[in-house]
């Protein structure tokens, strides 16, 4: 004898919510409109639908548990031959049919004898996903909704300077080459969308998109912070004390910078407008001075420093 709980894959102590959830998963899995290449799907869908017709109804479930009706909804024992014991809404010979958008009738719509509302199980829009268009299970045919094609995802490796200044790179999509423009100020992990270059729609809708995730390679001495470019600039002890003019790199080329006399390690210089150019504005290049002492022994330097009066640089 067929066990309806086994059909839905739940235990006999399952709650109403668990039974409903199990049915929804199986109905989605076996619905004929989603399994046109599987000849067994329709029978399986009928089976799980019939099981839920009983277990999803509190009164019928109680009768089934008490062995008052069988797995087909027919009464057992005394009264089996009388009209009051007909299963599935009073029709002992009921057959299950599946209607496409071309059928003129809807066995599941409002006002039918069975009163079975599939929208309460799937949601109002689930059948718009079926390739056959489906039905509005509250009565009447629902017009077929064009589906968008699937998106295609790519990861593109780009250099730090291409991300900062913008650039162009070729990618191969299907059988064609596409030039992808990289906006200036692009960041690591940013996604570019190429509309309409993804998979075609299965039913006349718009094509999907190509989604390109940027992977920005690190730079040996530049870093990004908002729209600013950060640079650590090593300077010698002489340059720090006496000041100097030094050449520094920027993302747009080299420039000369003046180091003020008696500069300390950690002091910052700002080059206006030498940062990233993006939709939120133009940033600066911020230079952090790093005083580097020589590791080479210098007797003359030691003699000069020894003659300098001690100056307290600590406040603790």
């Amino acid at each position: 004898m067929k066990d309806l709980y086994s059909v839905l894959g739940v235990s006999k102590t399952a709650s109403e919510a668990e039974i409903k959830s199990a049915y929804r998963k199986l109905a989605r899995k076996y619905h004929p409109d989603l399994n046109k290449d599987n000849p067994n799907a329709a029978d399986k869908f009928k089976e799980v639908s019939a099981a839920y017709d009983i277990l999803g109804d509190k009164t019928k479930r109680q009768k089934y548990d008490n062995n008052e009706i069988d797995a087909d909804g027919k009464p057992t024992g005394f009264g089996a031959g009388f009209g009051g014991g007909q299963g599935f809404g009073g029709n002992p010979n009921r057959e299950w049919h599946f209607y496409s958008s071309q059928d003129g009738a809807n066995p599941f719509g409002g006002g039918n004898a069975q009163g079975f509302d599939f929208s309460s199980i799937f949601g109002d829009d689930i059948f718009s996903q079926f390739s056959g268009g489906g039905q509005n299970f509250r009565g009447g045919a629902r017009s077929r909704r064009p589906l968008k094609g699937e998106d295609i995802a790519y990861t593109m490796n780009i250099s730090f300077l291409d991300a900062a200044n913008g650039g162009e790179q070729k990618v191969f999509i299907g059988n064609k080459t596409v030039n992808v423009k990289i906006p200036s100020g692009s960041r690591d992990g940013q996604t570019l969308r190429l509309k309409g270059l993804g998979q075609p729609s299965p039913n006349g809708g718009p094509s999907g998109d190509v989604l390109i995730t940027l992977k920005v390679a690190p730079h040996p001495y530049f870093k990004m912070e908002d729209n600013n470019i950060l640079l650590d600039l090593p300077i010698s002890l002489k340059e720090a004390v006496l000041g100097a003019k030094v050449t520094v790199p920027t993302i747009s080329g080299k420039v000369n910078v003046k180091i003020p006399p008696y500069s300390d390690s950690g002091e910052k210089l700002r080059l206006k407008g030498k940062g990233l150019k993006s939709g939120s504005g133009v940033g600066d290049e911020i230079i952090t001075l790093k005083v580097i002492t020589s590791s080479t022994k210098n007797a003359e330097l030691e003699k000069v420093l020894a003659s300098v009066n001690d100056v307290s640089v600590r406040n603790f």
Side-chain angles (χ1 to χ4, degrees), residues 105-119 135-141:
N106 178 6
F108 307 118
N112 64 83
Q114 291 76 32
F116 201 88
D117 186 359
F118 267 61
S119 65
Q135 289 278 327
N136 182 339
F137 287 95
R138 292 178 179 171

Side-chain angles (χ1 to χ4, degrees), residues 103-232:
D103 292 317
N106 178 6
F108 307 118
N112 64 83
Q114 291 76 32
F116 201 88
D117 186 359
F118 267 61
S119 65
S120 66
I121 304 301
F122 292 98
D124 288 338
D125 293 329
I126 183 62
F127 288 99
S128 67
Q129 300 176 22
F130 299 155
S131 58
Q135 289 278 327
N136 182 339
F137 287 95
R138 292 178 179 171
R142 168 175 288 180
S143 61
R144 184 178 179 184
R145 178 183 299 174
L147 300 178
K148 180 183 176 183
E150 292 185 1
D151 294 336
I152 300 175
Y154 283 90
T155 298
M156 178 188 290
N157 295 310
I158 61 174
S159 70
F160 185 97
L161 292 180
D162 277 344
N165 296 320
E168 192 171 283
Q169 189 165 316
K170 294 181 179 180
V171 296
F172 296 94
I173 302 174
N175 296 322
K176 58 184 178 181
T177 303
V178 177
N179 290 326
V180 178
K181 291 185 178 181
I182 303 167
S184 60
S186 294
R187 311 304 169 96
D188 186 64
Q190 181 176 334
T191 299
L192 306 180
R193 182 182 294 271
L194 307 182
K195 294 189 70 65
L197 295 183
Q199 298 289 2
S201 166
N203 63 346
S207 296
D209 303 330
V210 171
L211 304 178
I212 299 178
T213 300
L214 300 180
K215 186 173 180 60
V216 180
H219 196 273
Y221 37 83
F222 289 136
K223 292 182 179 179
M224 293 184 185
E225 184 180 83
D226 297 327
N227 279 345
N228 295 326
I229 293 293
L230 308 182
L231 171 69
D232 288 342

Side-chain angles (χ1 to χ4, degrees), residues 48-113:
V48 298
S49 298
Y52 183 72
D53 185 75
I54 292 177
L55 298 185
D57 183 292
K58 190 173 183 180
T59 301
K60 291 181 182 179
R61 181 184 180 184
Q62 186 175 6
K63 289 183 178 181
Y64 177 74
D65 290 344
N66 293 336
N67 202 30
E68 297 177 24
I69 59 175
D70 62 16
D72 295 322
K74 298 177 181 179
T76 60
F78 180 78
F82 298 91
Q86 297 164 344
F88 296 112
N91 182 0
N93 299 313
R94 175 182 178 182
E95 296 182 0
W96 289 79
H97 299 279
F98 299 97
Y99 291 78
S100 69
S101 58
Q102 288 78 28
D103 292 317
N106 178 6
F108 307 118
N112 64 83

Side-chain angles (χ1 to χ4, degrees), residues 270-282:
R270 183 180 296 268
L271 302 182
K272 296 289 290 183
K274 292 297 183 179
L276 302 175
K277 298 177 176 65
S278 68
S280 59
V282 180

Side-chain angles (χ1 to χ4, degrees), residues 277-292:
K277 298 177 176 65
S278 68
S280 59
V282 180
D284 305 325
E285 180 169 319
I286 300 175
I287 299 172
T288 301
L289 301 180
K290 301 289 184 181
V291 179
I292 307 298

Side-chain angles (χ1 to χ4, degrees), residues 10-31:
V10 297
S11 68
K12 292 186 177 181
T13 59
S15 66
E16 293 180 17
E18 289 173 331
I19 290 175
K20 184 175 182 178
S21 176
Y23 170 66
R24 290 182 65 177
K25 292 178 182 178
L26 292 172
R28 289 174 184 266
K29 180 177 180 180
Y30 294 113
H31 194 283

